[in-house]
Amino acid sequence: MGRIRRGLRSGYGQSRRTDDDHGTGGQETDAAGTRRTHRWRRAFLAALLVTAVVGPLSAAARPEIPAPPPAALPTLTAATLDRAYAANRANAEAAARMAAAHGDTHRAKADRELADPARHLLAFDGRGTGEATEVLGDLAHADHVAVLVPGSDTSLDTYSRFRATARALHRQLTRTAPRGTRTAVVAWLGYRTPDTVSTTVLTTDRADEAAPGLSEFIRQLHGIVGTGATVSLVCHSYGAVVCARAAAHLDVDDLALIGSPGAGADTAAGLRTPARIWAARGKDDWVGEVPHVRTDLFGVTVGFGTDPVSPAFGARVFAAGEGGHSGYFTPGSVSLANLARIVLGDTAEVTRG
């Protein structure tokens, strides 16, 4: 969201100067606030216009990558996991061959890595930007399961970055879990994420499309792990919008929104879930400069509403340290330590933001 961010930062600076120039009293304060609101709206509109022009051009520049349809899978249970893993690996290998024949060596490499015998894929679809759901750890016997939901610009072509966050969390869980406690992390790339430079990253459209798939996956997950395991959702950036849109239909214990542009709801209570709702933002995360509002532009609702780390939203805000938008899973970071505590149910040990 680099270009969007620059536009928003520009609007932010202009609003701040207006306050300084006009003071803080009476009607002048009201006028300054009105001008600030108008500037935010203009910044949003400028970003929308840029993405409306650039997004379609960049998307059209790449031809569709051929791949087979997803493998036919058995009903997912603890007993059928190995069969599902094998079927998805074979499908990823077929996708790699088709991508290589098409001349896309980058996608072929990404597919081939997913086809490695050591990888555990619950789902794989190599068509288009692609989807994959991968397990790290022993899912069938896990006491605590974390499901990671990514944000914009995540696809099979960039999947290795997303997997790195899942590996970091799994390592943290393994290192800090009490002796005998078993954990697993699921990297869920189960939706078509928006491009960072596109109109879709400013609306809930992609999240609304993704929410039913996430709900169905969580239902299937409970069929694998049974009733004794806890399930936590860790939702990053636009992924937080996805989780929020699905929240009312998810049977999860904890919902962590990190680096979130908003949840599409005014309050945590508005998500209509009994899950504990957590939120965090690193001090250097540029999302903090995005105006957390919703506004109508040409009949389209743009923005995601109340800032999830604000008192008005009502989430349990936890410390995320000094990191930026991509730093929440950095080994040794405050945010990663707190995420592991949330997943393990050590809520009293979570340091608050």
Side-chain angles (χ1 to χ4, degrees):
M1 298 180 72
R3 300 186 188 185
I4 298 173
R5 177 176 60 185
R6 285 193 292 271
L8 293 174
R9 279 180 171 171
S10 175
Y12 179 82
Q14 290 168 351
S15 297
R16 185 166 52 193
R17 284 192 297 271
T18 298
D19 285 346
D20 292 341
D21 292 343
H22 290 84
T24 58
Q27 294 180 348
E28 290 182 348
T29 300
D30 293 338
T34 300
R35 282 192 292 273
R36 183 164 56 250
T37 299
H38 290 331
R39 289 180 189 274
W40 281 127
R41 290 177 183 270
R42 283 199 295 271
F44 259 123
L45 182 56
L48 190 65
L49 292 174
V50 169
T51 55
V53 172
V54 177
L57 292 176
S58 60
R62 181 169 186 171
E64 192 75 7
I65 302 169
L73 301 176
T75 300
L76 291 176
T77 66
T80 63
L81 279 180
D82 287 341
R83 288 166 53 196
Y85 293 157
N88 285 315
R89 285 196 299 265
N91 192 266
E93 182 59 44
R97 291 193 297 269
M98 293 179 71
H102 185 65
D104 195 321
T105 56
H106 181 77
R107 173 60 68 84
K109 181 177 182 292
D111 290 341
R112 198 171 295 114
E113 288 174 351
L114 284 162
D116 187 286
R119 306 291 280 270
H120 294 155
L121 302 179
L122 280 176
F124 176 82
D125 186 347
R127 299 172 298 179
T129 57
E131 297 180 3
T133 301
E134 184 174 6
V135 175
L136 290 85
D138 184 359
L139 185 61
H141 302 98
D143 300 301
H144 303 283
V145 180
V147 179
L148 269 58
V149 180
S152 61
D153 279 338
T154 309
S155 67
L156 291 185
D157 294 308
T158 62
Y159 180 79
S160 60
R161 295 186 316 211
F162 177 44
R163 184 174 189 264
T165 65
R167 290 185 65 192
L169 180 57
H170 186 241
R171 287 171 177 168
Q172 181 73 16
L173 290 170
T174 301
R175 184 166 58 250
T176 59
R179 184 182 298 275
T181 299
R182 295 162 295 190
T183 63
V185 174
V186 180
W188 186 81
L189 175 55
Y191 78 109
R192 188 165 56 109
T193 68
D195 293 334
T196 293
V197 183
S198 71
T199 54
T200 52
V201 81
L202 302 175
T203 73
T204 63
D205 289 353
R206 290 288 174 87
D208 291 332
E209 293 173 6
L214 180 58
S215 299
E216 174 60 18
F217 173 70
I218 295 298
R219 186 193 68 77
Q220 292 177 337
L221 182 63
H222 281 290
I224 298 170
V225 302
T227 58
T230 67
V231 176
S232 302
L233 273 180
V234 179
C235 316
H236 178 243
S237 194
Y238 190 88
V241 185
V242 174
C243 293
R245 302 304 273 186
H249 306 286
L250 299 176
D251 181 9
V252 296
D253 298 274
D254 292 275
L255 178 61
L257 312 177
I258 54 177
S260 172
D266 293 330
T267 64
L271 300 183
R272 305 192 314 279
T273 174
R276 290 180 291 256
I277 300 175
W278 304 83
R281 185 168 61 234
K283 290 184 179 179
D284 288 338
D285 190 339
W286 55 262
V287 166
E289 298 182 20
V290 173
H292 290 85
V293 298
R294 280 182 292 178
T295 187
D296 289 331
L297 293 173
F298 308 116
V300 177
T301 301
V302 178
F304 307 109
T306 309
D307 186 348
V309 301
S310 69
F313 188 73
R316 302 179 184 211
V317 179
F318 64 95
E322 303 290 332
H325 194 62
S326 299
Y328 293 95
F329 299 91
T330 301
S333 65
V334 173
S335 55
L336 183 60
N338 276 330
L339 286 170
R341 291 168 184 143
I342 290 169
V343 173
L344 293 171
D346 296 332
T347 57
E349 301 301 317
V350 176
T351 57
R352 297 306 179 96

